[in-house]
Amino acid sequence: MTVMALVAIAMGTAMVCAVYLMQYRARLTRENDRLIDDLKESRLEANELRTLLTASDRRLLAYRGHRAPAMYGDLPRECGAPQSKDRFADFAAWLPADVAGQLAVQIEQLIDRATPFVLLLETPSNELIEVDGHTHGDLALVRFTRLGGLRAKLERADQDLSEALGTVDTMQALLDSAPIPAWLRDTNGRLYWVNRAYSQAVEGGTPEETIESGTEFLTMADRQSVASTIAEDRVFRGKLSTVVNSERHIFQVTELAGPLGTAGIAIDISEAESIRRELRQTIESQSETLDRLATAVARFDPDTRLAYHNAAFKTLFALDDDFLRSDPDHVAFLDHLRSAGTLPTETAFPSQKRGEDLAPYSAAGPTETMWYLKGGRTLRVVATPHPQGGATFVFEDISERLKLEMEVKTVAQLQRETLDYLGEGVAVFGSDGRLRLSNPVFGEMFGLSDTFLDTKPRLKTFGDMAEVKIVEGPETGEGWAGLNVFVTSIDEMGRKTDGGEIRLSTGMILAFKAVPLPNGQTMLTFSDVSDARAVERMLRETNDALEEAARLKHEFVSFMSYELRSPLTTVIGFTQLLGEPELGTLNERQSEYLEHINSSTRTLMALVNDTLDLATIDANIMELDVSLVDIAARVDSAVEGVQERLSEHGITLDIDLSRSGGVFEADGQRLTQILYNLLSNAANFAPSGSRIELDAWKSDDGSTICFSVGDHGPGIESDRVERIFDRFETNAEGGRASGPGLGLSIVKSLVELHGGDVHIENRDGGGTRVVCSLPARQPAPDPDRPARDRSGELGRKGGPRSPIYRDAAE
């Protein structure tokens, strides 16, 4: 009875479902008919609009985002524009490079920012085309219109006028910046343009002011001679002289007649004047050099009279021009300084002081004295006698230097006070190992008394006198003997800052530095790092715990991956057996369910294998089985695994291995795994009915084999390209199914394990291209490094070598 009741319930449920499905199918049929009618009306309307767009002599490009534009209409053949839509969109193929670049930039701004534009282009056949860009809704429209008749002539005339004016402006700017006087005259001989060199030569101010004043470069007689020559020969060439900057110069003048008057230039050819001017400038520059010196210089002749002085001498002693023009002698000069209060008044007898003042003139060599002026200034006076008599005096103001020396002493005292209040211990030792300087903290750290430190002891005696002992370190020796190495050692390669750590008997840990100082001295600094080392030890223990947790995670993932493979393999095997005709015939629904089970278990098996391979790579135990690989055979094996998916969606696979070289060194099984994942990814994103390209080629030098797989799918955003190889990174947009995001990560890991690299390129017109570069030869294994038993590490023999790809045989 129970069975009959269940059968009755099942039959009732089936009848209800059948009635519901019949009603649902009827609704779908009505909706499908309505959509077909709407589609017919839309097609009729689109055909009408397309007819209107193609009726005129213009071409319209409609951009929707950065996709390829839709094109409507045609331009006349005489325009020189390609009739093919593909060639027309490639502006660089039929327009000059600069024009095509400008047009591409304007279209880019129109698409991105909705910035309208209007351009006038000239085709290779000298036809003018007007390009008008504007937006309408989410479309960016670019219209190409041929300009004909009078409008084209006006546009061409405007272009010619612009070019002519540009040429004139360029030449005028060149002449205006040239150092050659140039001028233009009208038919009446009046100036109407001159350059800056002309204005500067006649000292007429600006060119406009020169024209307004009518200042002439040449004399009246020379201008009349030039005018008569031009009236006969239309051109004048000759040498004329004129005054420029109060000097007479000789110029090569050229002036010729033109439609609106005459034009002329003048080139300076005053070679003799140039040489004379250069000599004069050399003499003047020597005087200017001495005048610009900050040191005062004065020369007295054999009669002890002032013969020369520079500007610094006059400024130093505040001497007026009347006194200097009076040719004072040396004694008068000193008396003038004393009477002015610059030099202090002397109490010695005049005869005695005169002999002291004139002593440098009779000295055998240079003498040096110090002058202490009123106001606190100090001069260093160096007197050098001349062999023919007289002497040269150099007065150097050293007041600032003495002031700086005082400041240095003050700074040294300040540094001493600063060292005394530092929290670090500081000690400075000489090249002989004796203590030169120390602060109180240094003595407190090692229990050294102030009385002992005041004796400036040698470093090697510190071990006996220190109350706090060094129980560990430094590396160069034990205790103070090790520190003595830093102080007294001689390094032929140059002394450098060094350091280390020591442990004291009090438990304190000190970080020390040995800093080399001038004159063979060395500074030792000691800072307490006990707390820092305690924190470092805690962080190290924490890091060890994290590494252990990571190891356990890898072992768990590897163990679970192997444990899952066994039941999955059993399920796959029995699923395939159930599909065999020998075990009985299945109905359509049972076959469909069986196929779903088979597909799901294979997907789960691939995910487990992915996880296992990643765990093997993370554990750094995956090894390559390198051999000479047949590229074509490995490509066929990978293609066989995705052939069913390609056929299901009508995707064509184009393979080009003509440039691959046939064979190279690699792990063949891993190469098939790489290609399978790339083809699977491309098949997921390639539109139905499209194609996938798989190419392989060898680099020019033969060192690299490259594999590329490209599709015509939606592509990858630029901000996601860097993350696409990350684990569990998926791109569901545009794909038929979203997986766990391990395929490309496996590809990257295996390629890098071969010593290669992989990158993604976005293709023009949509789609992506993944390029893997592998070395053509793998390095020989290290004979000193034994092979690792990976089966023991993962707990399953051969586990790491399980392939991730799925071929038809499996």
Side-chain angles (χ1 to χ4, degrees), residues 577-623:
L577 288 175
L578 288 176
E580 297 293 333
E582 291 80 0
L583 297 181
T585 303
L586 302 177
N587 57 38
E588 182 178 355
R589 178 170 296 180
Q590 289 172 338
S591 298
E592 181 180 355
Y593 289 165
L594 190 63
E595 182 63 27
H596 286 319
I597 293 172
N598 192 18
S599 176
S600 298
T601 51
R602 287 182 178 274
T603 301
L604 184 57
M605 177 67 80
L607 179 59
V608 171
N609 287 329
D610 288 345
T611 305
L612 179 59
D613 280 344
L614 288 176
T616 306
I617 293 173
D618 288 343
N620 197 24
I621 58 175
M622 177 173 284
E623 297 179 1

